[in-house]
Amino acid sequence: MNETSAAVRQPAGKPYVLDVRAFGRRPGTSAQVHRTIAAPERIGVDLIGIEAGEEIDLDLQVQAVSEGVLVTGTVSADTTGQCARCLGDVSGALNLFLTELYAYPDSETAKTTDDDEMYRIEDDLIDLEQAVIDAVGMELNLDPTCTPDCRGLCQVCGERLADLPADHAHEQLDPRWAKLAQFSSAAEGEADDK
C-alpha cells in the first residue's frame, strides 16, 4: 500500500477538531499532527487532573483506513491535584498513548457498532476532545499520593502526620467511662488542696 501525505486543518476556535477532508477516503493517506492546546476546562478525576488553561501536547499520526481514520500518538500534559491521604499538593507529568478509530458515517463499522462504543467522523471532522478526556481519565490514579509511604492525617487533630513528631499522640477516653473521669479529676483536685 502506498502512503500519501495529506494536510490536516484545524477549524478556527476548535482546538480538538481535525479536518480530514483532504484524505478523501483513500486508505494509506496519512498526516503527522503536532499541536499544543490549552485545556478549555479541567480534565481528570476528583483528586488529580489537567487544570483548565494547562497546555496539552498532541503528537499524532492520522491515517485513513478502509473503515475510517485511525488516530495514534501521544498526549502529554502536566497534572496537579491533592494527595488522597494527607490532602497535600501533588503534581506530575502525564504521557499517554492514544489509539482511536473514527468510523466513516456509512462504513460497516459505523453500521454495526453502537454510538457509545465508537467515535465517528462527522462532516469530514474528527473531534478528539472526548477521546482525550476518556484516555486521561483512564490513565490517572484515582487515589494519588504525595509519596508512596504517605502516612496521611492524624485522625484526632487532622494535622499531617509527616509534619508531626514521631511520638505524637492524643489521650482518648472511652466515652463510656467519661462520667467516671469526672470523679478522678475531682479526687486529684482534693489531693492537691491538702
Side-chain angles (χ1 to χ4, degrees):
M1 172 180 353
N2 286 340
E3 283 200 17
T4 58
S5 184
V8 175
R9 295 182 304 118
Q10 174 188 342
K14 298 181 178 183
Y16 289 104
V17 176
L18 304 177
D19 184 339
V20 293
R21 189 174 333 232
F23 281 39
R25 293 194 182 198
R26 293 184 309 270
T29 304
S30 66
Q32 284 292 128
V33 175
H34 182 80
R35 184 176 296 169
T36 301
I37 59 175
E41 57 189 36
R42 186 180 185 281
I43 302 171
V45 294
D46 289 340
L47 292 177
I48 192 163
I50 302 168
E51 294 302 322
E54 186 68 43
E55 288 187 345
I56 300 174
D57 187 49
L58 304 174
D59 191 9
L60 307 171
Q61 171 77 26
V62 182
Q63 182 176 17
V65 294
S66 61
E67 290 293 306
V69 174
L70 181 65
V71 178
T72 58
T74 57
V75 176
S76 306
D78 291 330
T79 59
T80 56
Q82 289 184 306
C83 175
R85 295 181 189 160
C86 72
L87 304 179
D89 292 336
V90 181
S91 62
L94 178 70
N95 192 19
L96 60 92
F97 193 74
L98 182 70
T99 302
E100 292 297 341
L101 175 66
Y102 287 79
Y104 291 127
D106 56 353
S107 69
E108 203 55 41
T109 301
K111 292 175 187 174
T112 59
T113 309
D114 291 336
D115 286 342
D116 61 347
E117 293 178 3
M118 170 157 284
Y119 301 109
R120 301 179 190 290
I121 298 172
E122 295 179 16
D123 300 324
D124 290 318
L125 300 175
I126 292 174
D127 189 347
L128 299 170
E129 184 172 15
Q130 193 59 52
V132 169
I133 290 170
D134 292 346
V136 168
M138 295 296 290
E139 185 74 14
L140 291 174
N141 190 343
L142 293 175
D143 55 352
T145 55
C146 55
T147 61
D149 60 343
C150 177
R151 295 175 27 218
L153 301 173
C154 174
Q155 293 180 354
V156 177
C157 66
E159 296 294 320
R160 290 183 67 219
L161 290 171
D163 297 339
L164 298 172
D167 61 347
H168 176 75
H170 297 274
E171 184 178 328
Q172 292 183 320
L173 186 61
D174 187 329
R176 295 172 292 180
W177 300 103
K179 287 290 185 187
L180 290 176
Q182 293 174 353
F183 295 117
S184 172
S185 56
E188 286 175 14
E190 290 176 9
D192 290 341
D193 290 342
K194 292 183 183 177

